[in-house]
Amino acid sequence: MTDKTARLMGETMTRGMTTDETINTALEFVRSHLGMEVAYLSEFIGDDLAFRAVSAPGLEQMISVGDTMPLDAVYCRHILAGRLPELIPDTKDEALCQDIDLTHAIPIRSHASIPIRRRDGSIYGMFCCLSRTARTDLNTRDLDVMRAFAAISAEQVNARLMVETEQSDIRTRIQDMLDTQEFDVVYQPIMDAQQKLPKGFEALCRFQSDPYRAPNLWFDEARLVGMQIALEVCVIERALQALNHLPASVYLSVNASPDTVASGVLADVFADWPTERVVLEVTEHTKATDDDALEKALQKLRFTGVRLAIDDAGAGYSGLQQIVRLLPDIIKLDISLTTRIDQDVVRRSLSAALVSFAREIGADIVAEGIETGDELLTLAGLGVPLAQGYFLGRPDSLDAAAAWFTPGQGENRA
Ligand code: C2E
Ligand code: MG
Ligand code: MG
């Protein structure tokens, strides 16, 4: 391999190119290195060949990405079966080439082709070059260069196939979940520290799977395959049922991603419910795709009485910018700010700053992730009246949530 080839291979692999860019660069390089007119990567689909990437400057009308041809019309099967060599400097020297119509139709005079295999060894397609002039100067060293670039392309193809398989598995898993609805919703009390009674409950999803996977992982995966809105809506619809079983003075907090809110679907989802008892928790673990749509949808929902909470404030995703932009009704202090707040001056001063900021904009504060009495006391001292966490009550069934309000059952638990 020449220095130039090695350098280009290195660049191809390290420049952070996308799959398509890498394959196109490989094709372009091999085509010019071998002095050919056309280079392409094909995929075999049944008895046809489809062009997946093409480098053929000036010959775009002859061959372009997406075109298909019958495999019987081209050299591929003969090369794979050993009836034709991978390198054909002049087709006039190969009797079999003369029997193939395409040789004369194009006409093809020189041809070089390397099979691209999947990880399981099966044939994906071919990495191929051809020209209308004979290239008797081409030798096995040129074919070796081509092999190296075909190998890079095969890596890219296989990486893409793996992603496609993973995505299809995820799609199936989520569609199954939507069909079977094998999930539970648990409710965690949001406590009024003074009255020791829940003011509201946060609905949290528990997907039934073996092994168990945290709900945020399910939602992250659903987003990867464009099914996040469907999954979130399905869970919210179930969660809302709790409103029928809790006292009218108690609110229900449901979680939704910015993109689900921005899609506008929630207005219909909440339509038949007492919206003044609904709090919508939004967090920006992933940035909203469309900020304007998010603001418009939120405006519409808040007009109907739904309150907005910014979840995970202080966690890094839900920064001040988002809070300033959306002016929420509630700010939920993330667990990363409240853990050991009693022992940590930095967390204490950051939380104090958020509390005074919340006051300025007329928002309530809910402290999340309270696991000890000292954390609760410290936050109460900072003026945070509402808190949520294992110390006050774990996420539990709807019956357990309702029991808080049954005399003699709930009130002594915290
Ligand atoms: P989140 O909305 O911030 O929910 C709070 C998480 O903290 C919950 O985790 C809850 O179980 C946990 N937690 C509550 N108290 C404590 C505590 O004292 N200590 C500790 N270490 N953790 C506590 P969970 O249920 O695993 O949910 C994780 C995240 O997944 C949620 O964070 C939320 O972003 C997402 N999620 C959960 N359920 C849903 C849902 O129904 N819809 C949507 N869109 N997202 C959900
Ligand atoms: Mg939440
Ligand atoms: Mg949170």
Side-chain angles (χ1 to χ4, degrees):
M1 192 183 308
T2 64
D3 285 353
K4 187 181 164 205
T5 311
R7 201 175 57 245
L8 217 126
M9 276 181 70
E11 280 175 14
T12 305
M13 287 186 287
T14 55
R15 266 174 39 197
M17 293 187 201
T18 64
T19 298
D20 286 346
E21 281 168 350
T22 306
I23 292 173
N24 285 331
T25 306
L27 288 172
E28 225 173 282
F29 176 78
V30 169
R31 186 184 51 71
S32 66
H33 179 79
L34 269 61
M36 297 286 213
E37 288 179 294
V38 175
Y40 64 82
L41 175 82
S42 67
E43 179 182 358
F44 296 174
I45 301 171
D47 286 328
D48 286 335
L49 158 161
F51 297 103
R52 292 297 177 223
V54 174
S55 168
L59 297 171
E60 289 82 3
Q61 77 295 342
M62 188 175 93
I63 174 170
S64 52
V65 172
D67 289 352
T68 58
M69 287 189 92
L71 270 170
D72 280 345
V74 294
Y75 296 178
C76 302
R77 281 178 169 162
H78 299 297
I79 294 166
L80 287 169
R83 292 187 292 271
L84 282 175
E86 288 180 335
L87 178 63
I88 307 172
D90 190 347
T91 53
K92 285 223 153 74
D93 297 335
E94 296 286 345
L96 182 52
C97 290
Q98 297 308 307
D99 294 342
I100 298 171
D101 290 345
L102 198 68
T103 306
H104 310 287
I106 300 263
I108 303 172
R109 279 299 298 275
S110 49
H111 190 278
S113 190
I114 308 283
I116 299 282
R117 290 180 188 278
R118 296 189 188 84
R119 295 237 156 93
D120 65 5
S122 63
I123 295 288
Y124 168 85
M126 300 293 259
F127 190 95
C128 194
C129 280
L130 58 90
S131 206
R132 290 174 296 184
T133 49
R135 293 299 316 281
T136 47
D137 55 316
L138 291 180
N139 56 38
T140 50
R141 287 185 61 188
D142 298 308
L143 198 62
D144 283 345
V145 169
M146 187 166 167
R147 245 185 221 113
F149 280 86
I152 293 174
S153 303
E155 266 307 304
Q156 298 291 321
V157 164
N158 277 303
R160 183 157 61 196
L161 290 176
M162 244 171 71
V163 169
E164 282 168 9
T165 309
E166 264 170 37
Q167 292 198 335
S168 143
D169 290 350
I170 292 172
R171 241 175 251 122
T172 308
R173 202 158 51 232
I174 292 180
Q175 192 55 53
D176 279 355
M177 186 51 76
L178 290 171
D179 293 342
T180 61
Q181 305 233 345
E182 283 180 341
F183 64 86
D184 301 303
V185 177
V186 286
Y187 299 86
Q188 184 174 33
I190 297 164
M191 303 290 286
D192 184 316
Q194 303 253 294
Q195 294 173 4
K196 297 254 171 76
L197 256 190
K199 277 280 223 203
F201 287 86
E202 177 173 3
L204 295 160
C205 188
R206 298 289 173 263
F207 295 104
Q208 292 160 23
S209 66
D210 190 15
Y212 176 76
R213 288 156 71 238
N216 44 315
L217 295 182
W218 279 86
F219 291 112
D220 286 350
E221 280 196 345
R223 181 173 50 82
L224 284 179
V225 297
M227 297 174 83
Q228 185 177 24
I229 297 177
L231 193 64
E232 288 187 2
V233 166
C234 175
V235 172
I236 290 174
E237 280 173 341
R238 173 93 71 83
L240 286 168
Q241 307 294 326
L243 286 168
N244 288 332
H245 303 273
L246 295 169
S249 58
V250 169
Y251 73 82
L252 184 76
S253 241
V254 294
N255 291 280
S257 64
D259 283 346
T260 295
V261 179
S263 75
V265 291
L266 294 179
D268 278 349
V269 174
F270 295 145
D272 294 330
W273 294 99
T275 37
E276 69 287 354
R277 292 176 63 200
V278 174
V279 169
L280 182 59
E281 292 192 15
V282 180
T283 188
E284 280 197 337
H285 292 240
T286 53
K287 184 92 190 68
T289 320
D290 184 343
D291 282 335
D292 287 346
L294 174 65
E295 278 178 44
K296 270 201 197 102
L298 278 173
Q299 221 169 24
K300 191 171 163 193
L301 289 170
R302 295 173 86 179
F303 185 73
T304 68
V306 171
R307 276 173 294 158
L308 169 67
I310 296 296
D311 206 353
D312 306 334
Y317 335 102
S318 298
L320 282 181
Q321 231 178 8
Q322 193 198 29
I323 299 176
V324 169
R325 184 163 45 89
L326 301 178
L327 293 176
D329 303 282
I330 297 168
I331 295 173
K332 296 193 77 175
L333 287 191
D334 187 63
I335 185 168
S336 59
L337 274 186
T338 60
T339 298
R340 291 191 304 280
I341 190 168
D342 50 306
Q343 303 161 34
D344 183 342
V345 67
V346 175
R347 288 187 173 104
R348 225 163 26 240
S349 47
L350 276 172
S351 298
L354 273 170
V355 169
S356 83
F357 175 65
R359 250 187 227 123
E360 289 285 326
I361 64 165
D364 286 334
I365 288 248
V366 174
E368 286 190 280
I370 305 306
E371 293 184 353
T372 69
D374 287 340
E375 289 169 356
L376 186 65
L377 269 177
T378 307
L379 282 154
L382 291 176
V384 178
L386 294 175
Q388 183 180 351
Y390 296 161
F391 179 70
L392 297 157
R394 288 190 175 253
D396 206 336
S397 65
L398 180 55
D399 283 348
W404 279 95
F405 309 97
T406 309
Q409 282 196 51
E411 63 260 305
N412 296 324
R413 296 199 314 189

